[in-house]
Amino acid sequence: MATPDIQAPQIQTQTATARTVSVWRQMPWWLLAIIGFLVFMAYLIARTPEYGETFEFVLPGIRLTLFITLVAYGIALVLGLFAGLGRIANNLLIRNIATTYIEFIRGVPTLVLIFTTAFVIVPAASDALGFENASISMTWRAIAALSLIYGAFLAEIFRAGIESIAHGQMEAARSLGMTYRQAMTYIILPQAIRNISPALGNDFIAMLKDSSLVSVLAVREVTQRGRLYAGSTFRFRESYLVVTFLYLAMTIALSLLLRWYERRIGKDAR
Amino acid sequence: MTQDMIVVEDLHKYFGSIKAVRGVNLRVRPGEVVVVVGPSGSGKSTVLRCLNHLERPTRGSVYIDGVHLEDRSTNINVVRAEVGMVFQQFNLFPHLTVLENVTLAQEKVRKRSKDDARRIALEQLTRVGIPEQAEKYPSQLSGGQQQRVAIARSLAMNPKIMLFDEPTSALDPEMIKEVLDVMLDLAQAGMTMVVVTHEMGFARAAADRVLFMDEGQVVEIATPEVLFSRPEHERTKLFLSKILTH
């Protein structure tokens, strides 16, 4: 009779401890640490003139960073979709053109491709199309470079997404008399894009970060403004901390958004 | 004399060194139901898939309602719209509702208006007994219901021919009957059908002729009474003894 009385509180204590341990283990400490850094930076910017002035100088660069990223990502999506479709096309010529493009880009460092695009590919293309080369701003050359680079990365994501859809879906669509294009548009791509949306989101964040590389073209986005400010004031620590702060704030916000979205589509996955 | 709905002449299909189909000939009259039986790997699904060019024959010819499929000028999409196909794995479109599954090809291929497509879809869903599931997604339905949606999806195109590729093989036993009942109704309504199945009860009840295939060839083709009770060939007897003893 006495035994259960003694055992019951013991069990309770154990579960309580287990619960504390699991809360402790599941706590997103990494996120708290990063938010701690962001809050500390915000405090410095608000309270110290050195950081405040640096911030004011660098901040307008965000507009250009976001503009370049959004436009280049939009173009890269279209480029990636067609290159991805080309990669799995039956047509030998199309398949090889797409594969050449993708493998070429993947084989050259991003920084080198930015120079090559800005100073070789864009001038050559504008000559061929009859534009005046000088009329194309560095911003648009930067966008061209990032589009070309990420088009190749996104192509591989699209290809994988399309190949992840069971072959029976294409057969069912075709057996109803749909053309290849109709089957792709209405059946395969909607499912593929849903599957790859987390990967597409990741590449958007990656591109936001890689847009800092176009500072080598003297495009006055966040990184370039930080460099300019550091060079003219010798406030290196303030400049690069503020630049770091701005990128981290954007990427953490985006990746939290992405996690939330993934969890949502995970829930109603059909 | 009416034209044969399906004509298959000396059909061969090789996958690399594997000769899946080796010289099959077949004629199916309008309204006829042909059930194809045979051991797995005998080439029966491959023959079926050649009838709407999901597989291209290595050699030989297929005519659907007089149209030569291997002819370069034939638009295969036009032919496929006339040939419904039901798959073992249903292959419903999981991102679309049941209703959208049945209306999509009507709108895009048959160019019907949204209203017409919807009306016809609901008619066909009623025919297969599940009009109340129209707004659900395929994953919310049982296997038997999904397969009936797949049948409705094909029927909504008003095909001249229906092909069934082991339509009940992926179903739980208690759901097989509901799908076979729909197919039986369809057969009695005069649809031209070619059915690959292991359901001998269905073959007896619905088939005009049963075709027995083995090793890529037609061994024997006869009415179900003759084939099941007095098969001519040893291979047919052996196959039937394996599946009919239980």
Side-chain angles (χ1 to χ4, degrees), chain A residues 179-253:
Chain A
T179 61
Y180 179 82
R181 195 161 157 184
Q182 286 174 327
M184 267 293 163
T185 310
Y186 301 113
I187 305 302
I188 307 298
L189 283 176
Q191 296 182 61
I193 288 170
R194 188 191 173 87
N195 288 354
I196 62 175
S197 55
L200 292 178
N202 275 330
D203 265 28
F204 181 77
I205 294 172
M207 188 192 256
L208 181 74
K209 292 187 293 175
D210 277 357
S211 72
S212 68
L213 291 170
V214 306
S215 61
V216 297
L217 301 180
V219 175
R220 298 182 64 156
E221 40 69 72
V222 170
T223 308
Q224 177 64 1
R225 290 188 82 92
R227 282 172 50 179
L228 286 175
Y229 194 72
S232 62
T233 60
F234 297 104
R235 285 175 178 167
F236 286 96
R237 183 187 301 165
E238 291 85 346
S239 299
Y240 290 117
L241 273 176
V242 164
V243 169
T244 302
F245 164 74
L246 287 173
Y247 280 114
L248 195 59
M250 289 190 284
T251 55
I252 283 293

Side-chain angles (χ1 to χ4, degrees), chain A residues 169 171 174-175 182 186 191, chain B residues 49 80 92 94-95 108:
Chain A
Q169 292 287 305
E171 290 191 340
R174 298 303 305 272
S175 78
Q182 286 174 327
Y186 301 113
Q191 296 182 61
Chain B
R49 291 162 59 83
R80 280 174 176 157
L92 292 181
H95 62 301
K108 304 302 173 191

Side-chain angles (χ1 to χ4, degrees), chain A residues 110-177:
Chain A
T110 308
L111 188 59
V112 175
L113 277 170
I114 289 172
F115 286 125
T116 313
T117 309
F119 300 119
V120 183
I121 296 175
V122 170
S126 63
D127 278 353
L129 297 171
F131 293 129
E132 199 184 335
N133 183 29
S135 70
I136 300 166
S137 72
M138 279 299 167
T139 302
W140 282 100
R141 289 169 200 241
I143 287 170
L146 289 173
S147 305
L148 275 178
I149 295 163
Y150 273 79
F153 294 146
L154 296 186
E156 289 295 87
I157 295 178
F158 276 109
R159 181 189 56 77
I162 291 165
E163 286 178 343
S164 76
I165 303 303
H167 199 58
Q169 292 287 305
M170 179 56 96
E171 290 191 340
R174 298 303 305 272
S175 78
L176 289 163

Side-chain angles (χ1 to χ4, degrees), chain A residues 2-71:
Chain A
T3 327
D5 284 312
I6 296 159
Q7 273 185 351
Q10 266 183 351
I11 291 162
Q12 265 185 357
T13 334
Q14 272 177 358
T15 37
T17 319
R19 203 174 297 134
T20 319
V21 168
S22 93
V23 167
W24 183 262
R25 289 185 64 90
Q26 281 170 16
M27 197 74 175
W29 298 109
W30 62 272
L31 186 57
L32 289 180
I34 288 170
I35 289 172
F37 169 75
L38 294 177
V39 168
F40 179 65
M41 281 303 299
Y43 171 81
L44 285 180
I45 289 163
R47 287 307 175 100
T48 63
E50 295 86 351
Y51 281 92
E53 284 160 18
T54 311
F55 181 73
E56 264 174 42
F57 186 87
V58 176
L59 186 65
I62 281 202
R63 271 187 59 185
L64 200 51
T65 291
L66 289 178
F67 175 74
I68 290 171
T69 307
L70 283 170
V71 174

Side-chain angles (χ1 to χ4, degrees), chain B residues 18-71:
Chain B
I18 299 161
K19 299 185 172 180
V21 177
R22 302 181 296 156
V24 166
N25 292 286
L26 175 68
R27 282 170 180 270
V28 182
R29 292 184 303 274
E32 196 179 16
V33 177
V34 174
V35 169
V36 184
V37 300
S40 60
S42 59
K44 42 193 202 305
S45 284
T46 308
V47 170
L48 198 71
R49 291 162 59 83
C50 284
L51 298 183
N52 65 352
H53 260 212
L54 284 184
E55 303 290 356
R56 281 166 194 271
T58 310
R59 209 165 85 208
S61 299
V62 176
Y63 296 85
I64 298 294
D65 201 16
V67 179
H68 186 194
L69 299 197
E70 287 72 32
D71 192 326

